[in-house]
Amino acid sequence: MGQIEWAMWANEQALASGLILLTGGIVATAGQFVWWQFGAYSIVAGVFICLLEYPRGKRKKGSTMERWGQKYLTTVVKAFGPLTRNYYVRAILHLCLAVPAGVLLATILGTACLAIASGIYLLAAIRGEEWMPIEQKPKERLQVGATIKQPPSNPPPRPPAEVRKKQPEEEAAGPSGGPQVNPVPVTDEVV
Amino acid sequence: MPQYKVQLLNILVKKKKVHTHTHTHTHTHTGECVSECGGWIHQQYFSVVWLGLNVFLFVHAFLTFEKSDKYYYTRELIGSSLAWARASARCLNFNSLLILLPVCRNLLSFLRGKALCQGQLDHNLTFHKLVAYMICLHTVIHIVAHLFNFERYRRSCKADDDSLAFTLSTLYPHEKGSPWLNPFPSSDMTAEHLTFTSIAGLTGVIITLALILMVTSATEFIRWCYFEVFWYAHHLFVIYFIGLVIHGIGGIVRGQTEDSMKEHPHSKCAEEYKDWGEHCRRPRFEGLPADSWKWVLAPVILYIFERLIRFYRSRQKVVITKAILHPSRVLELQMNKSDFRMEVGQYIFVNCPSVSFWEWHPFTLTSAPEEPFFSIHIRAAGDWTESLIRACEQQNSPMPRLEVDGPFGTASEDVFQYEVAMLVGAGIGVTPFASILKSIWYKFRHADHTLKTKTIYFYWICRETGAFAWFNDLLASLEREMEECGKVGFLNYRLFLTGWDSNIAGHAALHFDKSTDVVTGLKQKTSFGRPKWDNEFSALAAAHPRSVVGVFLCGPQTLAKSLRRCCNHYSSLDPRKVRFYFNKENF
């Protein structure tokens, strides 16, 4: 399993754990179970973990599917720099967050899941993985007009006369975003 | 027979499309389609029935535990959370029964046979996921209800000495065989302690963890990118089922015994709890017997059969007749296996014991049924595929032994039924069309009467030039043969390069006049960007004003929407004029 990025699975597991902690915490607090204050803690911890884990990191190879709306949280998570990039930090953080919730039965499942996530993150960290934010790629539309800043200083190389008659359809179609099969033949105007 | 030497491939290693997309037969027409069993309608009907059964079981169990006399005293201690826990347990049993069935692919294939319509049996994975979601939902309800149960039981131990709750909780000491009601022996024990020292609690935690791990490793993202993680983690279902069967053995949910109810009817005796022992005997309680095994025994046996069948089929010898290593690390394997019969658009599972003993990976078949072999194209995209390719390219050692299970999946025979066929393959979705195009060509050349197609329009939309090389030879061969037979108009194809940049475009512009395309070397020119479907459809409608056109797509949902819209828009209301029928098949 050499090419697996464990951090990706750890991320899914941690996100699930956050939700489980949150649910357990709500049950314990709402039901006013004994030691329900730990339930309140679990709610906070659960929300925090969900926010931290929601933005998926970038895969090393291949494209990564973003979660819906994750770009806002990506900017926040990215701002913490090495604290969020390094998976050792995350592994330890999750382990520490998990422990207090282990007191209550309602949240102990969250503890177990988070501990597992922490373990997988540790494995990822040992293998040198890092969290990289998924950046928005700037749109590379071919805006012919916009990229012309200065008139060219040399005349363009001219292909032979017979080729010159045909207008490069592809380049003209560029700005409009795709080829067009014209139902009516179009005569060119460039000589 | 022409051997289609295929050159490159940008295609499937993991059978993503099959396993993760829903199979939807969206026959939008009511007319003369051959496999008209209303596949989509059937699936919805099936789901509604399933949902109805869930609701019925839930409500029935809920009312039983909420109203029956047997649990009167139990309810005195814990209230309605008893009914919630038991109702969700009933649904959990039901869904655990169902979840194994859709993945018994060999048994389903057997049931499906040839004559039956493909309907719901092919939507197995969608159903499997649906049942899994229901299991997760009921797990949540079950756990939350039991959390309340435990808390309330514990509070009963600490209740006032002269309350019914306290009396009930301290009726008997907790010894083996003793008819106690409250599982907490004293108020000193915490809920956690009881959980981890009781069979029900411990197995509950274990199987829930197994379930969670199965779910997190089965998200689409993980399945697509790290199939092995999904495959191995999903085998935790063994722990889930074992734990499920053991879960109820402890009898922690208690109701009054029959005998006790006769001599101690709660309607008369409940209020006099301070004097129990005098007029009314003390009530005695027994645990609910474990009944999960009754639900899951049959599916587990069926599933064991399924694995045995897979094992048997995999032992049958697979002979690799040809292995071709193409550029960009693509391996084509042509194979033979006795009694192997395939149809267009199907897939197989392949296992290579020398690479990995347990892993089975799905691949679409790229050969036509008419060819004397079956083939797959494997691209190096992960550990398993890399190892397999490396094993196959060893010059001095023999080919590794392979095991094959299959074929599975929808046979897309509808594609032969239309006079005019419009085939659209986007990116990786073009693979099944390789099989289809080859098959259509074979049928055409041999004047097969099952082929009604007279003209094909094939659209391949892809991101990068590298991906074209695969189809090059196939289409070049077809071009040649059509010229030889004088049937030039039979197959019309348009290739669309969506990942173009100004270099490619400029290059193409410069060589505009050459008779063959610079990208593919074919006579048809490559177009850049995405097709403008309105133009395509109107051109087609103009060229075939009186035909029935079948539109087949293997690609993303957004494309399906555009095509469906165009089909509706350009179909004429007049049945004598052109009509477009959209079929979205996820092969």
Side-chain angles (χ1 to χ4, degrees), chain A residues 28 36 42 49 56 59 70 101 117 119 143 166:
Chain A
W36 64 268
S42 296
I49 290 167
R56 202 176 257 141
R59 287 172 68 201
Q70 81 167 44
Q143 305 269 348
K166 300 225 161 36

Side-chain angles (χ1 to χ4, degrees), chain B residues 351-390:
Chain B
N351 169 289
C352 186
S354 57
V355 168
S356 169
F357 191 72
W358 295 109
E359 291 177 40
W360 287 82
H361 292 254
F363 296 93
T364 311
L365 289 161
T366 47
S367 54
E370 290 86 357
E371 292 179 296
F373 55 85
F374 61 96
S375 71
I376 53 174
H377 283 72
I378 306 168
R379 184 175 69 114
D383 282 342
W384 188 85
T385 40
E386 281 277 0
S387 311
L388 181 64
I389 293 178
R390 248 191 314 238

Side-chain angles (χ1 to χ4, degrees), chain B residues 5-10 326-328 330 377 460 462 464-476 495 519-522:
Chain B
K5 181 168 56 99
V6 221
Q7 283 213 316
L8 193 206
L9 197 54
N10 197 10
H326 298 293
S328 299
V330 170
H377 283 72
W460 188 9
C462 210
E464 39 174 9
T465 46
F468 279 112
W470 178 65
F471 244 39
N472 263 354
D473 258 16
L474 174 60
L475 292 177
L495 305 174
V519 175
T520 57
L522 296 165

Side-chain angles (χ1 to χ4, degrees), chain B residues 333-494:
Chain B
L333 287 177
Q334 296 180 2
M335 297 171 275
N336 268 322
K337 184 174 169 217
S338 60
D339 288 339
F340 186 87
R341 258 166 274 289
M342 65 165 278
E343 291 166 51
V344 288
Q346 292 197 302
Y347 62 99
I348 54 171
F349 278 84
V350 176
N351 169 289
C352 186
S354 57
V355 168
S356 169
F357 191 72
W358 295 109
E359 291 177 40
W360 287 82
H361 292 254
F363 296 93
T364 311
L365 289 161
T366 47
S367 54
E370 290 86 357
E371 292 179 296
F373 55 85
F374 61 96
S375 71
I376 53 174
H377 283 72
I378 306 168
R379 184 175 69 114
D383 282 342
W384 188 85
T385 40
E386 281 277 0
S387 311
L388 181 64
I389 293 178
R390 248 191 314 238
C392 288
E393 67 183 351
Q394 299 294 329
Q395 301 284 357
N396 298 325
S397 40
M399 294 293 280
R401 188 172 72 85
L402 282 190
E403 296 177 357
V404 162
D405 194 16
F408 301 105
T410 16
S412 316
E413 294 182 323
D414 291 353
V415 85
F416 305 127
Q417 304 302 323
Y418 292 91
E419 209 184 310
V420 178
M422 184 173 168
L423 310 177
V424 181
I428 220 169
V430 81
T431 320
F433 288 120
S435 175
I436 290 177
L437 281 179
K438 286 191 217 176
S439 187
I440 288 185
W441 184 239
Y442 270 105
K443 290 194 195 324
F444 185 75
R445 288 224 342 236
H446 297 96
D448 189 332
H449 63 278
T450 59
L451 178 72
K452 300 211 174 43
T453 318
K454 301 265 182 307
T455 328
I456 303 175
Y457 292 88
F458 178 66
Y459 294 84
W460 188 9
I461 305 156
C462 210
R463 223 195 293 269
E464 39 174 9
T465 46
F468 279 112
W470 178 65
F471 244 39
N472 263 354
D473 258 16
L474 174 60
L475 292 177
S477 306
L478 288 176
E479 251 182 351
R480 254 196 321 273
E481 295 196 12
M482 285 192 289
E483 276 181 22
E484 282 166 24
C485 295
K487 295 265 179 243
V488 182
F490 180 66
L491 172 65
N492 305 282
Y493 48 88
R494 300 288 308 278

Side-chain angles (χ1 to χ4, degrees), chain B residues 571-584:
Chain B
S571 287
S572 157
L573 286 173
D574 187 346
R576 291 168 305 167
K577 299 225 184 105
V578 68
R579 272 164 305 152
F580 290 91
Y581 292 135
F582 179 67
N583 301 269
K584 181 167 195 287

